[in-house]
Structure formats: C-alpha cells, structure tokens
Amino acid sequence: QSCTDCHQPHSGAIDLNTCEDCHEDVAEVEDLELIRQTEDVTLVDYDGDGDDSEPIKAEIESFQTALYAAIQAYATETVGTGIVYDSHSHPYWFIDTNGNGTADPEEVNGDNRFASWTPNLLRAAFNYQFAAKDPGAFAHNPRYIMQVLFDSIEAVGGADAVSGFTRPPM
C-alpha cells in the first residue's frame, strides 16, 4: 500500500471510501480509532488486560502509559531527578520539581528543561515522543510502534515492566 491508498494526495485527508472496503463499521474518521482487526494484530492481547478485541489504538495507548511510568520511575530512581512530559511545550521534558508526576505550569518552561539524560532514558523519551506525535501509528504500522514501545519500556523498566505485555513479532 502507498499513502494515497488511504489519503487524498493533495490534502492528506483520509478517504473513508477506501476504509469501508475492508472495515464496514467505518462511517466517520473517528471510527478508524475503533478498528482492531488487521491480519497481523488479531486475537493477541498485547497489553495483557484480558481484552484481545479492543481497538489496536487502545493496546498502543497501554504501552505508552507504561512507558511514561517507566521513564518517570527510571529518572527518579536511577538518575535522581524527577521528569514530566508536556506535548505542547518544547523541549517536552521538564524537571518534576514538586515530585507530583504532573507537568505543572510553573515547571513547563525552558529554564526547567530536563537535562540529566542517560542513553537509555534519552532513547526511551525519544520513542515516547515518536509514538505520541504520530496519531496514525495504530493504522500505519501498529506492530512496529508496539515493538518500539515494548523495547523502550524494557530498557528503562527492566523485564518486570514488560512481563504482562506481549511483544509483537517482527
């Protein structure tokens, strides 16, 4: 498949008529986020929550939530500096000065940017940002994005952090 199989070539808008050929329940763009069945992600409960029929987007969101928690734990416990993320404020990663795990307005500024990076933490933060900024990852290549997130969770959280997850095959 190419980009224009699903998207209009000039505007990038999604062509729902194309989606309806394989996914009868797709009537609006919002319905795309409810898709589960594709030939390479069916009937596997990747996030270990007991639901192998939830939308693949929900599976990916579970991986993202786990990665963010692993990043925060690693930064606090290994680096010794709390970290928070704000998707709307560059440089996105800030010191959690009050330790509450939330990007508070007084923390989200360039003077408070997180700078205590280790190689594993930087890779995990990059991959978190990569997944967070691609709203179509669930459609474009769900196995790959779950692999990236799984590997990042494991890198900063260890084997126990991914023990409930299933890494999609290559």
Side-chain angles (χ1 to χ4, degrees), residues 52-85:
D52 64 3
S53 64
E54 69 185 329
I56 199 65
K57 187 173 194 268
E59 298 272 8
I60 293 168
E61 288 169 350
S62 294
F63 278 73
Q64 286 176 287
T65 299
L67 177 54
Y68 187 56
I71 286 170
Q72 288 187 303
Y74 182 91
T76 301
E77 297 164 13
T78 303
V79 176
T81 304
I83 190 171
V84 291
Y85 175 79

Side-chain angles (χ1 to χ4, degrees), residues 36-163:
R36 171 57 187 219
Q37 189 171 2
T38 63
E39 42 185 83
D40 57 353
V41 294
T42 56
L43 303 177
V44 176
D45 178 22
Y46 292 102
D47 63 6
D49 67 357
D51 187 356
D52 64 3
S53 64
E54 69 185 329
I56 199 65
K57 187 173 194 268
E59 298 272 8
I60 293 168
E61 288 169 350
S62 294
F63 278 73
Q64 286 176 287
T65 299
L67 177 54
Y68 187 56
I71 286 170
Q72 288 187 303
Y74 182 91
T76 301
E77 297 164 13
T78 303
V79 176
T81 304
I83 190 171
V84 291
Y85 175 79
D86 184 319
S87 66
H88 303 294
S89 297
H90 188 268
Y92 306 111
W93 298 96
F94 302 92
I95 298 169
D96 186 9
T97 56
N98 61 13
N100 70 353
T102 303
D104 298 310
E106 65 274 7
E107 295 171 330
V108 179
N109 64 74
D111 292 334
N112 191 46
R113 68 187 172 280
F114 189 87
S116 301
W117 299 105
T118 66
N120 275 344
L121 184 58
L122 185 59
R123 282 188 291 270
F126 177 89
N127 290 336
Y128 182 85
Q129 170 79 350
F130 172 65
K133 292 293 183 172
D134 183 358
F138 70 94
H140 296 140
N141 198 340
R143 284 191 320 167
Y144 175 72
I145 201 68
M146 286 188 287
Q147 290 168 350
V148 166
L149 294 169
F150 181 100
D151 294 347
S152 296
I153 296 164
E154 188 173 41
V156 293
D160 287 345
V162 291
S163 64

